[in-house]
Amino acid sequence: MRCPQCDAEISDQFLYCPKCGERLRGLGAESFAELRENASQVPEAKTSAGLSRAAASREDAARRSTSGGLTQAPASAAAVKSSDAVTLWEGRFSLRGMIDAIAVSGLASVAVVAVAIWRGWGLMGWVLLGCCLIGLWLWLFLLYLCRRLRHYYRLTPETFFHQRGLLIKSTSPIEIIRIDDIALHQTILQRLLNVGTIRILSNDTTDPVLVLKGIPDVQKAFAVIDQARRAERRRRALRVDSV
């Protein structure tokens, strides 16, 4: 007989091949070669199956990443839109912001009237004085309306919007992360009425220095803007004092 493993001529009485050690009888199968061939085919099948599964998983991951990339952009856009829809603070110019000009104009009006009474001005003098005083206070009123209607400010968690203009409106958004520093300025009379001016320094090309005049509850507005700036920088892992 011949050994199925090494093809050597072997006597029929041998149980093992004297050359390669292949078992020839007693296993219920023709030889170890058949078993080894079947065993070699199983790993190949497993390997091919594993490769097919790996390829399928890679295709599935690619589909997921593609679909995730497609759905992620609208989700992020929706998140930005919803974030800008949240208003943390909004404000306009307040009449209290003109307290200094009103006080000076009031004192000047009283002083001129007192001088006119003391000097005994005639009818023409009083007419001229009345026209001057009406013009002064009318100018103050128009100045207030112009400042009140021309500027509008709104703060969101990520953006500071500045809307300006009377007939033609324009909006300048400033990202909170771009704000480098803010400052608060109040006079003595403004501190009594809790009104003041906020100065915003940023690296925005449109409004590098933005001055918010006549802001009511100015200390609260200042705190809200500063907290939003710090929160956005902490969210983006930046140090406020290192920029």
Side-chain angles (χ1 to χ4, degrees), residues 1 25 27-29 34 41 85 88 97 100 102 109 122 129 134 154 163 175 179 203 209 217 221-222 225 233 242:
M1 63 177 295
R25 288 178 291 121
L27 293 177
E34 184 179 354
Q41 291 177 356
L88 299 178
D100 295 331
I102 292 175
S109 300
L129 178 59
I134 291 175
R154 188 170 73 91
Q163 180 178 322
E175 294 184 6
I179 297 179
N203 55 11
V209 180
D217 298 330
F222 177 83
I225 297 173
R233 295 202 172 195
S242 66

Side-chain angles (χ1 to χ4, degrees), residues 48-219:
S48 61
L51 291 177
S52 62
R53 285 195 298 270
S57 63
R58 285 195 297 269
E59 292 178 358
D60 185 45
R63 286 195 299 269
R64 288 181 180 178
S65 62
T66 304
S67 62
L70 291 176
T71 57
Q72 187 175 1
S76 60
V80 172
K81 185 179 295 185
S82 62
S83 176
D84 286 340
V86 177
T87 300
L88 299 178
W89 172 82
E90 59 181 349
R92 292 181 180 271
F93 183 85
S94 174
L95 182 62
R96 290 178 289 173
M98 298 181 62
I99 184 61
D100 295 331
I102 292 175
V104 172
S105 299
L107 292 176
S109 300
V110 171
V112 172
V113 170
V115 170
I117 295 174
W118 178 63
R119 297 292 299 268
W121 288 1
L123 179 60
M124 185 61 65
W126 282 104
V127 170
L128 292 176
L129 178 59
C131 292
C132 292
L133 293 179
I134 291 175
L136 173 63
W137 290 100
L138 182 60
W139 176 78
L140 291 176
F141 178 72
L142 293 178
L143 180 61
Y144 161 72
L145 286 181
C146 181
R147 292 181 177 179
R148 173 76 178 181
L149 301 177
R150 186 182 179 188
H151 299 280
Y152 170 71
Y153 311 102
R154 188 170 73 91
L155 175 68
T156 69
E158 295 184 0
T159 312
F160 185 88
F161 293 95
H162 175 209
Q163 180 178 322
R164 71 185 77 190
L166 292 175
L167 300 178
I168 300 177
K169 299 288 186 179
S170 64
T171 303
S172 301
I174 302 176
E175 294 184 6
I176 298 297
I177 195 65
R178 290 181 174 271
I179 297 179
D180 295 330
D181 191 21
I182 60 175
L184 173 62
H185 176 74
Q186 288 180 294
T187 63
I188 297 177
L189 294 178
Q190 288 177 346
R191 285 201 300 269
L192 295 176
L193 298 178
N194 193 17
V195 68
T197 301
I198 298 177
R199 190 167 178 261
I200 297 178
L201 300 178
S202 68
N203 55 11
D204 185 76
T205 56
T206 304
D207 290 318
V209 180
L210 180 60
V211 180
L212 286 64
K213 295 182 178 180
I215 302 300
D217 298 330
V218 65
Q219 294 181 357

